[in-house]
Amino acid sequence: MFLPMTLKRNEGLIRAAVKLHQEGNIPANTYVVDLDSFESNVKVIQQTAKRYDVSLYYMTKQLGRSGFIGQIIEQQGIEKAVAVDIDEAIQLKERSCQIGNIGHIVQPSRSQWKFVLTKLNPEVVTIFSYERAKQLSEAAVNVGKVQDVILRIVYSHDAVFPGQYGGFLIEELEGQLQKLQRLKGISVVGITSFPIFELNPDNNDYQFTPNMTSLLQGKKLLEASGIQVKQVNAPSATSCRTIPMLSEIGVTHGEPGHALTGTTPLHAYQEDMPEVPCMVYVSEISHMDDTHAYTIAGGFYSRSGMEGALFGAHADAAVAQRAKVDLVSPTNIDYYGALDRCKEMNVGDSVIYAFRTQIFVTRAHVAFVRNIKQKPEVVYFQKRGM
């Protein structure tokens, strides 16, 4: 999906990845992140957000939810994280990263609220239901705190990804707010929905999903109940392109994830995006038959959108040789990928992919690399399972 744009805008990363793999500094099944470009992406996103008065929570799950990269992001100016689940929050906190929002997609379980309040200390907790709010309130009262919460809302026409459904129904929200305001351990301070953006039909810009209408309707209901709305949180595709759109419509918070690596969907189509693609996936030709070359896998993702891969025994060959990807069924474990066989292929060749991923759900390593154009150096290697 991102291979042509990465080759056009960050060929040095591809060359560095091949060099590191061929020299034995990284194994197959490793994502390689160009840390220098990554830091530049974080800076330009933060500067744009500051210009438009939008606050940001960074997300690391696309990068394997690494406390190392959380520290890097915070050093570049985005000070707090959004944790997709409590395990991500724990890994970030172990590296002294600050938690801005937890519960964004996966709600902590009933027994974990005390830990969330006393060890993770989030700025806000996203809540999907009154029952969860009541659990959190009781835990907060027991530890002597009042926790700020934002409500995830949903309406029948909203866009919701499979496996992510949940939230306060708009048509029931007014009655729910009365009950929520009686809970002594929480304070409702805002509202959220997901996803807020989608590509337009021409693939040349973003447009709002119906969720934005629901989000603004929810804000009005909160304000009508006497709640001071401090957060209108609108995640998905938060980037330099979308931050002005968020600001104009009254959104206060965004959550950049894929934009940090220059891999939101629009980055595959538009060359003028401020964020540079800075992540590739490295594999190796394991074996071949008459029709296919099989590549060591473990890091593929079912929604990747990949179409091709580069291959070669050295960088000059790899940037010039492309093969078509034969997609593996997402119903099977990705032990191997498959490329249409070319006569130039050899067992042991490096294979470079660039596609949309969620590293935290894969079995892949992550190598964070500096100085890609001079002397590539792995400065941090995150082994799978960590």
Side-chain angles (χ1 to χ4, degrees):
M1 181 176 182
F2 298 106
L3 193 60
M5 201 61 73
T6 304
L7 191 58
K8 184 177 292 186
R9 300 189 66 193
N10 199 355
E11 182 180 319
L13 170 59
I14 294 171
R15 289 180 171 274
V18 173
K19 178 179 174 64
L20 290 167
H21 174 249
Q22 287 294 321
E23 291 179 353
N25 292 307
I26 60 172
N29 186 32
T30 297
Y31 285 92
V32 178
V33 178
D34 169 8
L35 203 52
D36 298 311
S37 295
F38 180 87
E39 288 179 332
S40 296
N41 289 346
V42 177
K43 286 179 183 177
V44 72
I45 293 168
Q46 171 58 15
Q47 290 166 356
T48 303
K50 185 176 182 180
R51 189 180 315 132
Y52 287 93
D53 195 27
V54 173
S55 297
L56 299 177
Y57 298 135
Y58 66 85
M59 180 169 278
T60 68
K61 66 187 178 75
Q62 293 90 343
L63 287 155
R65 56 190 187 193
S66 162
F68 167 81
I69 203 63
Q71 290 179 320
I72 294 291
I73 295 168
E74 293 188 12
Q75 289 166 7
Q76 305 308 314
I78 304 179
E79 297 178 348
K80 296 180 181 180
V82 50
V84 68
D85 56 24
I86 193 169
D87 297 306
E88 181 178 9
I90 291 170
Q91 291 192 36
L92 291 167
K93 200 69 175 179
E94 286 175 349
R95 285 290 194 116
S96 299
C97 298
Q98 301 303 302
I99 307 302
N101 180 11
I102 192 169
H104 159 85
I105 294 181
V106 181
Q107 300 276 274
S109 68
R110 177 177 53 82
S111 64
Q112 294 174 318
W113 287 123
K114 180 180 178 181
F115 179 84
V116 168
L117 293 165
T118 60
K119 302 299 183 181
L120 301 179
N121 299 306
E123 183 172 4
V124 296
V125 175
T126 298
I127 292 294
F128 281 38
S129 67
Y130 172 77
E131 291 78 13
R132 284 287 177 198
K134 187 171 182 291
Q135 291 174 4
L136 175 58
S137 176
E138 290 171 351
V141 169
N142 287 337
V143 300
K145 295 183 70 171
V146 176
Q147 175 63 54
D148 286 347
V149 302
I150 59 177
L151 310 180
R152 175 163 166 163
I153 54 92
V154 65
Y155 190 52
S156 58
H157 67 264
D158 284 352
V160 181
F161 293 126
Q164 297 184 23
Y165 189 84
F168 290 87
L169 297 173
I170 280 285
E171 53 268 41
E172 298 176 2
L173 183 58
E174 187 174 1
Q176 293 285 303
L177 286 172
Q178 296 177 19
K179 296 169 61 180
L180 289 166
Q181 288 174 289
R182 290 195 289 267
L183 297 175
K184 299 184 183 300
I186 66 166
S187 176
V188 178
V189 300
I191 199 140
T192 188
S193 181
F194 177 82
I196 292 298
F197 287 108
E198 61 186 355
L199 280 177
N200 68 16
D202 295 325
N203 291 335
N204 62 9
D205 208 346
Y206 283 109
Q207 63 188 20
F208 289 119
T209 67
N211 302 39
M212 178 54 81
T213 301
S214 301
L215 190 66
L216 297 178
Q217 185 181 350
K219 178 188 176 186
K220 290 180 180 178
L221 289 171
L222 263 64
E223 290 172 335
S225 296
I227 294 170
Q228 181 184 0
V229 179
K230 300 176 183 178
Q231 282 208 26
V232 180
N233 182 302
S236 81
T238 304
S239 61
C240 293
R241 181 66 69 97
T242 60
I243 286 170
M245 299 168 67
L246 295 175
S247 178
E248 183 177 4
I249 208 165
V251 167
T252 65
H253 286 68
E255 298 180 350
H258 282 293
L260 303 175
T261 51
T263 55
T264 77
L266 192 59
H267 284 87
Y269 301 100
Q270 298 297 311
E271 190 175 347
D272 63 347
M273 301 287 280
E275 306 91 354
V276 174
C278 63
M279 180 170 66
V280 296
Y281 177 63
V282 179
S283 182
E284 175 183 320
I285 294 179
S286 168
H287 52 282
M288 297 185 286
D289 59 24
D290 290 342
T291 58
H292 290 95
Y294 299 96
T295 63
I296 297 168
F300 292 150
Y301 179 60
S302 60
R303 295 174 58 214
S304 65
M306 61 180 173
E307 298 176 347
L310 302 174
F311 68 93
H314 53 83
D316 287 342
V319 298
Q321 296 178 152
R322 176 169 173 156
K324 183 180 178 182
V325 169
D326 190 350
L327 293 178
V328 179
S329 170
T331 61
N332 296 321
I333 298 172
D334 63 329
Y335 294 115
Y336 293 100
L339 304 176
D340 287 355
R341 184 169 179 176
C342 306
K343 60 181 174 59
E344 299 85 359
M345 290 175 169
N346 292 287
V347 170
D349 281 355
S350 300
V351 179
I352 305 295
Y353 301 85
F355 51 80
R356 185 172 176 84
T357 189
Q358 298 283 350
I359 297 178
F360 83 113
V361 298
T362 74
R363 309 186 311 281
H365 314 292
V366 189
F368 297 94
V369 178
R370 290 199 184 277
N371 304 317
I372 61 168
K373 293 182 180 179
Q374 288 81 39
K375 186 178 180 181
E377 176 189 5
V378 178
V379 297
Y380 184 78
F381 189 78
Q382 181 178 327
K383 296 185 69 173
R384 60 181 176 181
M386 300 296 289

